Structures are given as structure tokens and as C-alpha cells.
Amino acid sequence: PQDEVLAAILTVRQTLTYTAELRSPWTPQQRSARVNAVIRQLGLEDKADNVVGSAERVGLSGGQKKRVSIGMDLLAELPVMLVDEPTTGLDASAALDVIRTLLRLAVEQHRTIVCTMHQPPWSMVTRFDQLVLVARGRVVYGGRPTGLIQVLETDGTPPPPNENPADIVMSHLHTRGIARWTAKRNGHLAPASKAVMRSAKTPPGRGSKITSLDDLLFGQANETTYTISFFHQYRVLFRRFAYICF
């Protein structure tokens, strides 16, 4: 989430432990080992037993809270992670730490990580494998970040030194209009991006309807199952509530 929804009174270790209890049927030993591994991956070993904190209570920095939220998703062990504006509200150094963490997780754990970002610096954009620019719900560019510079050079408007090419494209969209840009630049969409757009227009499987994110990502509708029973989740949540309140 853009704004972290974390219990201020809980420590990093407690936050991740409760999350692990709610998401996976591990034994206490397995759960402890997995939580410790995630803390190491996030670089939060020295903050593991510090409270998360809030505006009224001293705790973690904004970037560290972002990493805790990422750790909660890591414990779900999903192959695809959707991260909404992970750098919002952070200074340049903290934002770069968060992006480095995401990139390391993508490489080391072979995860697909999709981030939405609002006006990121170009030095951060070039760290990603693929860049998709969206304006008013339409894809206006898809491909390698460095390919955006080639698009601008082909257009006769090469980006000046030390300026963000993505910002220049957005300026062109504002002055020229989205329809003109997309009609002229559709050839610069990477094959993968075109495939994604086609799949969004044509649901997978002989006329079947897309009913879930799994359907779009994996091409088939998966029946929802839960590894943790309702009563176990209720017990964990009640125990966490009692700890926080009393």
C-alpha cells in the first residue's frame, strides 16, 4: 500500500510473525526460521526488535516501514508481487533502498515484481527490466527503459542532459494528445507489452471471461482455497488484538 497499515506497538519480528501465522501452516520452528530469513533479506536485522512506531511514537523510518510491508507479502510466497508506489513519501536515499530491496528479491527469489511509481527519477527507472508508461488508462510506451530515449530521438526531440525522458514524454502527451502519440508510437511497444494488451482485450481460453487476477496472469481460473482455517485466523487476530490493547 502507499500508506503503511502497521500496528505501531508491535516490533518488526512480531508483525512478521503474526503475518506468518495468518498465511501459512508452518510449525513454530519453521515460522521462526522463515521470519528470520525475511528480516535478513530486508536488511532489518538491527531493527528486528524495535517497535514499528507512529507519528506519536518513535519507531522505524518511512523506508523501513515500507520494507516491513514488503516482508509481509514475502511471507505469502507468491510468484507475483504487486507493489503500489513503494517510494511515495520517502526521501531519495530511503526510496533507493526500497527499490534495491525489490530488485534483489526479484533476482534472488525469481519473483515477478510489478511496481506503480509516480514520477520516479531516471536513475531509478533504468534499474528496472521493463518500463510501461500509462496515461489515462492507455499504454503509451512499453519496453526497456533505455528504449524511451531512442523513441524521443526518432521523434526529433532528444532529451536534454540530466533530464528525465519519462517526464518529457508525459509533457508531449499533455501538449500533443494521447491519441496522436499512441497512434504514432505503437511500433515502439515491446512484443511483451503488445501481448499483455492483446490478452487484456481477448480473454484467455475459447471465449471464457476473465474473472480474477489469476485468470489474467496464468490463463486459467483457479478455485480459491485457504491453507489456514477461519478459526485459526480468528484466534491469531484475537491474540494480536489483546496484545495491542492490553
Side-chain angles (χ1 to χ4, degrees):
Q2 296 181 27
D3 299 315
E4 300 348 290
V5 185
L6 303 171
I9 197 173
L10 297 180
T11 66
V12 172
R13 193 184 307 278
Q14 288 172 324
T15 299
L16 295 177
T17 299
Y18 281 125
T19 299
E21 286 191 73
L22 289 169
R23 292 194 168 187
S24 296
W26 291 317
T27 64
Q29 294 78 13
Q30 291 173 326
R31 184 164 56 245
S32 178
R34 186 71 185 104
V35 167
N36 288 335
V38 168
I39 289 174
R40 286 194 302 272
Q41 291 166 0
L42 298 173
L44 292 172
E45 299 99 317
D46 58 334
K47 302 292 183 181
D49 297 310
N50 290 18
V51 295
V52 171
S54 63
E56 296 78 24
R57 181 175 185 141
V58 177
L60 304 180
S61 66
Q64 290 165 346
K65 289 179 182 178
K66 294 280 186 182
R67 280 186 272 167
V68 173
S69 293
I70 293 170
M72 295 169 70
D73 279 342
L74 286 177
L75 289 168
E77 298 193 326
L78 299 175
V80 179
M81 289 178 60
L82 305 179
V83 187
D84 185 22
E85 297 194 20
T87 60
T88 297
L90 303 181
D91 59 45
S93 178
L96 190 56
D97 283 342
V98 171
I99 295 303
R100 283 172 177 162
T101 299
L102 290 173
L103 294 174
R104 187 175 66 253
L105 293 172
V107 173
E108 294 178 356
Q109 300 188 11
H110 307 288
R111 295 175 185 265
T112 299
I113 300 179
V114 181
C115 296
T116 59
M117 302 182 72
H118 181 67
Q119 289 186 311
W122 186 246
S123 59
M124 189 177 295
V125 173
T126 55
R127 293 175 179 267
F128 287 91
D129 297 310
Q130 295 289 326
L131 170 67
V132 176
L133 292 182
V134 179
R136 296 184 183 178
R138 299 181 63 178
V139 175
V140 296
Y141 175 80
R144 303 287 294 183
T146 52
L148 193 60
I149 298 176
Q150 298 173 0
V151 171
L152 290 171
E153 290 174 344
T154 302
D155 191 51
T157 55
N162 303 321
E163 287 202 26
N164 190 335
D167 288 341
I168 296 174
V169 169
M170 289 303 177
S171 176
H172 288 340
L173 292 171
H174 179 72
T175 57
R176 303 181 185 183
I178 297 174
R180 286 182 58 191
W181 175 273
T182 52
K184 189 176 181 181
R185 302 297 181 280
N186 190 52
H188 292 287
L189 290 176
S193 300
K194 292 181 180 179
V196 169
M197 289 193 294
R198 284 197 301 270
S199 67
K201 295 175 182 176
T202 307
R206 302 181 180 177
S208 62
K209 295 178 65 177
I210 296 177
T211 57
S212 67
L213 181 60
D214 283 346
D215 215 5
L216 180 59
L217 293 177
F218 306 112
Q220 59 182 2
N222 295 325
E223 188 175 330
T224 301
T225 58
Y226 298 95
T227 57
I228 303 299
S229 70
F230 168 80
F231 294 104
H232 179 82
Q233 293 182 52
Y234 179 83
R235 187 170 69 248
V236 173
L237 290 172
F238 182 80
R239 178 155 44 86
R240 185 179 67 177
F241 173 78
Y243 180 88
I244 292 173
C245 294
F246 305 108

